[in-house]
Amino acid sequence: MQLQITNDYRGLSRAAARIMAQRILTKPNLVLGLATGKTPIGMYEELVALYRQGLVDFSSLVTFNVDEFFAIPVDHPLSYHHYMEEHLFQHVNINSRNTHFPSTTVSDANAVCREYERRIQAHGGIDLQILGIGHNGHIGFNEPGSDWGTTTRLVTLTEETRARLANRDVSLTEVPRQAITLGIKTIMHAKEILLLASGREKAMIVRQALQGPVSTDIPASILQLHPRLTVVLDRDAAKELNDLDDLRRLE
Ligand code: GLP
């Protein structure tokens, strides 16, 4: 595990964007697994800034989003498709044919999930998977209890997760109950993983994920076993970690 602790959220965003930019420079047709949520917003802003300086070219990049709500239109305020357009895609030279989301408006969710997996494999698998972490340790929408062997599938969100997703613009009743997410196995098959966490409210779950037992109770804890994991935390999210030297010795 490579661990980088930055002073603040801005530093985290810059560090993460630089890692992504380096990988894109090394492999312009990189297959990128993308995450949403509050955490990566700054990273996407930094990436757009790098693009505007002519430092990153997105034209050959292929993306697969890690999750999407089930059966909501793209213009729904919680749509991750909409989020990606707003925070990254509309600002850079990405080819929309190369961006993938689990299509959530079709009724046969199983067929959608199989097709998503097939497309990922057809592109040779995910090179770099970006991840945030939920308050209960979820990655993508793999909630606690998800099997390690899961692939892309339809999941039911916990009420805790739904409550956290409700915000000033979206009432709890409007938060979908189901989503499609890459499975844990699919995520673990990514060649490299970049995990980001920011803020004091993530400090305890970060500690459980990185220093606790590997357990399906904390889905993110499986990442301890990934051969190429980079973790970028800001100081607040790293507050509860013990024995940082021991963690770093794993590098
Ligand atoms: C959401 C998403 C995850 C995300 C996580 C953390 O529910 N499904 O992909 O990583 O929760 O979100 P945030 O960065 O807003 O804390």
Side-chain angles (χ1 to χ4, degrees), residues 147-235:
D147 282 348
W148 298 142
T150 47
T151 53
T152 302
R153 69 200 190 290
L154 184 68
V155 292
T156 300
L157 304 178
T158 64
E159 285 310 303
E160 184 200 353
T161 295
R162 290 187 65 243
R164 285 187 184 276
L165 289 162
N167 57 36
R168 226 183 308 162
D169 305 320
V170 186
S171 69
L172 182 58
T173 47
E174 288 174 287
V175 177
R177 294 183 182 279
Q178 289 182 302
I180 291 182
T181 181
L182 287 193
I184 305 264
K185 183 171 150 192
T186 324
I187 290 173
M188 286 299 281
H189 277 187
K191 295 173 190 104
E192 181 178 9
I193 293 181
L194 174 58
L195 174 70
L196 311 176
S198 163
R200 237 167 231 263
E201 51 172 33
K202 293 285 175 73
M204 272 315 290
I205 197 67
V206 163
R207 172 168 140 194
Q208 287 174 277
L210 300 183
Q211 296 186 312
V214 174
S215 156
T216 53
D217 293 344
I218 310 284
S221 64
I222 189 75
L223 300 175
Q224 294 177 34
L225 303 183
H226 195 280
R228 223 175 143 209
L229 170 68
T230 301
V231 180
V232 183
L233 307 173
D234 60 17
R235 231 194 310 203

Side-chain angles (χ1 to χ4, degrees), residues 36-40 66-67 80 132-135 138 140-141 161 165 202:
T36 52
K38 283 193 220 106
T39 313
V66 68
D67 50 18
Y80 289 157
I133 181 169
H135 289 78
H138 71 218
F141 271 133
T161 295
L165 289 162
K202 293 285 175 73

Side-chain angles (χ1 to χ4, degrees), residues 58-78:
F58 291 81
S59 59
S60 308
L61 198 73
V62 176
T63 68
F64 286 89
N65 265 73
V66 68
D67 50 18
E68 178 60 290
F69 295 101
F70 185 61
I72 59 167
V74 172
D75 60 1
H76 188 288
L78 286 181

